[in-house]
Amino acid sequence: MSTPDPKFRALYDAHFNFVWCSLRRLGVREADVLDLAQKVFLTAHLKLAEFEGRSLITTWLFGICHRVASDYRRSARFRREVTTDAAEMDLYGAAPEDLALSAESRQRAQAAEVLLNKLPEPQRLVFVLFELEEMSGQDIADLLGISVGTVRSRLRLAREAFSREVKRLALAQGTDRKEAV
């Protein structure tokens, strides 16, 4: 058995959480994230020698995540699965207060995910990269191969749509806006 490349191992250790979160924010179901994270890192391992360092490593990894998640979503319409969430099953042995907090947190995360899924993919990408990954407009433009003006336009449209959906959800739930998500 060969030993793993220390450079790749350092990349994996330093960026696994980033890849995991990126895939979730790009619409990958919790049950499939680990498999797709492995696919991202396999691709990164194969292409690491080609990485020239002209961008941040996270920018490069996010590009791989984007392609893997896009392929995943395209194939999702053919998937017929009944999902069970192991984390949800573990809650059955928890204290009632923990169950309530965990359920509320899970509901908020699911609501945010639903809202993100309603955004058109180009807007969703820019929104996730800017608001959640805290990338600059220029870095997003470079990653996606678009102009900074297009990034700003998509971000504005995504923020407006997200805000509209949060308000709609809050009205439907009868809560104030901040409690909806």
Side-chain angles (χ1 to χ4, degrees):
M1 181 184 256
S2 64
T3 59
D5 176 12
K7 185 176 178 182
F8 174 73
R9 183 63 195 193
L11 171 84
Y12 180 88
D13 290 341
H15 300 290
F16 181 82
N17 287 337
F18 170 78
V19 167
W20 181 279
C21 291
S22 296
L23 289 169
R24 286 293 291 146
R25 292 173 180 156
L26 290 170
V28 175
R29 290 179 327 137
E30 184 77 31
D32 297 329
V33 173
L34 186 56
D35 289 339
L36 292 182
Q38 289 176 343
K39 190 171 188 174
V40 168
F41 281 110
L42 177 61
T43 303
H45 179 64
L46 296 172
K47 303 278 187 182
L48 189 57
E50 299 172 23
F51 179 68
E52 297 173 354
R54 289 184 287 164
S55 66
L56 296 173
I57 194 80
T58 52
T59 303
W60 181 67
L61 285 171
F62 190 86
I64 297 170
C65 288
H66 174 243
R67 286 184 291 283
V68 166
S70 180
D71 291 345
Y72 165 83
R73 284 191 311 276
R74 250 193 319 276
S75 70
R77 68 180 128 248
F78 302 109
R79 212 176 286 127
R80 305 277 189 255
E81 297 176 1
V82 175
T83 61
T84 57
D85 185 358
E88 195 171 306
M89 295 169 102
D90 289 342
L91 291 175
Y92 290 117
E97 333 46 81
D98 294 341
L99 284 174
L101 285 174
S102 183
E104 182 180 329
S105 173
R106 208 170 38 258
Q107 285 174 336
R108 287 176 188 250
Q110 288 171 345
E113 188 174 332
V114 166
L115 296 179
L116 281 174
N117 285 336
K118 289 185 176 188
L119 295 175
E121 186 174 351
Q123 291 175 20
R124 177 187 177 137
L125 276 174
V126 170
F127 186 84
V128 165
L129 290 170
F130 189 85
E131 297 292 349
L132 304 176
E133 299 302 333
E134 299 178 348
M135 290 177 70
S136 72
Q138 185 61 56
D139 287 342
I140 296 169
D142 293 343
L143 174 66
L144 300 178
I146 57 177
S147 71
V148 175
T150 301
V151 169
R152 289 184 187 130
S153 174
R154 289 180 183 175
L155 181 59
R156 180 185 55 77
L157 292 171
R159 284 176 172 164
E160 289 171 358
F162 193 85
S163 179
R164 248 189 336 269
E165 289 298 320
V166 167
K167 288 176 186 174
R168 189 190 61 71
L169 181 62
L171 287 172
Q173 293 177 345
T175 61
D176 91 24
R177 181 173 177 220
K178 291 180 183 170
E179 292 178 23
V181 176

